[in-house]
Every structure is written in C-alpha cells, then in structure tokens.
Amino acid sequence: MQVKLGDFVRFVDENIEGYVTRIIDKDMIGVTDTNDFEIPVMATKVTLVHGDMPEASEMVHNRSQAVVPAAEFITEGVYLGLVSDQHSQVIAHFHFVNETSYQFLLSLTTEKGDRFKGEFAGIVPPHSAVKIFSANMGDIQLWPKFILEALYFTPANVAPKDPLLYKEQIKGKDLSVAKTEIALLKQKGWLIRLDTPAPVLDAQKLKESFFK
C-alpha cells in the first residue's frame, strides 16, 4: 500500500493514529500522533483509516504509470492528429497524440460563435493516442475553434513543464500538406505540433560566432 503526505493512518500493531507528515524513504514514513509527536514507522505497519482511502481511479492511475529512468525519458512530441475514418473518408477523427513519457490530464472545449461545448476530458497515458473529436470533412469551413488544455505529469525525477494550451480553428490550408504516417494510430494523416521543440544548436556556427 502506498501512502502520501497528509494521509490519516492507524498503526497495525498499536493503538495509535495520526497523519503522515514525512516520507523518510521508500520503506519508512513519519506519523504525527494526537500529541504532535512524530513517530517513524515502516509503511507496511500502518493502514489507511476508513474514509481516507484514495479514490479507485487515483489508485489505478498511480499503479499503471511505470517510472521511466531519466536517461530514457522522452520530453517532446505532442500532436493533434487528424485521420479519416477507415470506413468513410468524409469523417475526420481528431486524436491527441502523445509520443512523450509524460502522462497528460487533458480537456477539450469547442467554441463556435458564442457557444462553448465540452468535448473531452480524461487521462492520456505515455506513448499513446486518444480520439477527442470527430467532424465532417466537407464542413471544414464550419469546424469550431479548439480550446485544448493539457497538464504534464510524471512520477519520474524530471523537471515539470508548463501546461500546454492550444486555441486555434483548423482551416483548409492546415491540411494542404501531404499526409504523414502516424505510428501510434497506424494510419496516415495530418499532424499539428502542439508543443514547442527545443532549439537545435549548430556547434560549428556557434564556434564561428565567437571569432567574429
């Protein structure tokens, strides 16, 4: 059982209750009792008090996300992927394509005129794609504006990134380029980059600039 700071727990072998006030290491925690005395104890020797159990969805998400070593962690590669329906070419499906090692908390709201509509809210795991919207290709001039917000999350030892915000209306010119293979969707389509790639430094030009 995983506990976190602020959890209210009870000792298994003693009549003591208190709040988790310190995570000492992966095995030991500090529990402060009603006398404000912090007691170090093995995490396996306490149990969450009924009523303070984490929600089932929280438990599932925490367990499902494996910690990726920092050396293998992919920090870039977030796209809006647009593909045609496999059974009808006039239907367009929009996907949030996550090629990174981050997990995202994602929401999509559409805006058309003065009307707003929540279209999608959910978790997007690392290295996955999730369908968030569908539209008719023939009505591209009538497609609504997308308001897409995404929070980066990872339990790994990686510096946090600012939330991602995309507020655009896709137009015909955005789809005037050739389709590309979208590996996570196993299909060709259009990719719109949502995150900003890190600048690539030209070592030779950098070296030359010091001697000008």
Side-chain angles (χ1 to χ4, degrees):
M1 179 189 69
Q2 289 187 340
V3 297
K4 58 184 184 297
L5 293 177
D7 281 343
F8 190 60
V9 297
R10 178 179 296 123
F11 283 51
V12 173
D13 301 324
E14 299 179 67
N15 186 25
I16 299 176
E17 293 180 344
Y19 289 92
V20 178
T21 51
R22 188 186 306 274
I23 305 296
I24 299 171
D25 57 31
K26 65 183 181 67
D27 299 316
M28 296 287 294
I29 61 174
V31 176
T32 298
D33 63 11
T34 54
N35 297 316
D36 290 330
F37 184 75
E38 187 178 85
I39 307 168
V41 61
M42 296 285 291
T44 55
K45 294 297 184 180
V46 301
T47 181
L48 286 169
V49 175
H50 181 70
D52 287 85
M53 290 289 289
E55 303 229 340
S57 59
E58 178 185 343
M59 295 172 69
V60 170
H61 295 321
N62 285 346
R63 288 173 181 167
S64 62
Q65 174 134 7
V67 176
V68 180
E72 304 172 9
F73 200 93
I74 300 173
T75 61
E76 297 179 356
V78 186
Y79 303 87
L80 185 62
L82 174 58
V83 297
S84 299
D85 186 273
Q86 294 182 348
H87 303 290
S88 176
Q89 294 296 307
V90 301
I91 303 298
H93 296 301
F94 296 81
H95 295 75
F96 185 84
V97 180
N98 176 21
E99 296 181 351
T100 77
S101 300
Y102 287 104
Q103 175 176 283
F104 285 91
L105 177 60
L106 176 70
S107 73
L108 170 65
T109 300
T110 54
E111 177 186 355
K112 192 172 184 180
D114 295 326
R115 298 178 65 86
F116 297 86
K117 182 183 178 184
E119 303 285 355
F120 177 88
I123 300 293
V124 184
H127 312 295
S128 69
V130 175
K131 185 169 71 174
I132 58 175
F133 188 74
S134 296
N136 190 298
M137 286 290 289
D139 295 333
I140 188 169
Q141 72 277 6
L142 302 176
W143 285 357
K145 180 179 182 180
F146 278 15
I147 304 173
L148 191 151
E149 300 172 280
L151 293 175
Y152 291 82
F153 171 78
T154 176
N157 182 23
V158 177
K161 300 184 74 170
D162 291 335
L164 188 154
L165 176 62
Y166 175 82
K167 298 178 69 174
E168 296 289 342
Q169 182 173 9
I170 297 173
K171 298 180 174 63
K173 63 182 180 63
D174 298 316
L175 308 183
S176 62
V177 297
K179 291 183 178 180
T180 185
E181 188 70 32
I182 305 176
L184 288 173
L185 298 178
K186 299 179 180 179
Q187 188 177 349
K188 283 191 174 183
W190 294 275
L191 280 176
I192 299 173
R193 186 74 182 255
L194 299 180
D195 60 344
T196 304
V200 178
L201 295 178
D202 187 317
Q204 182 60 33
K205 288 184 178 180
L206 185 62
K207 180 180 178 181
E208 291 172 355
S209 68
F210 284 106
F211 296 95
K212 287 184 178 180

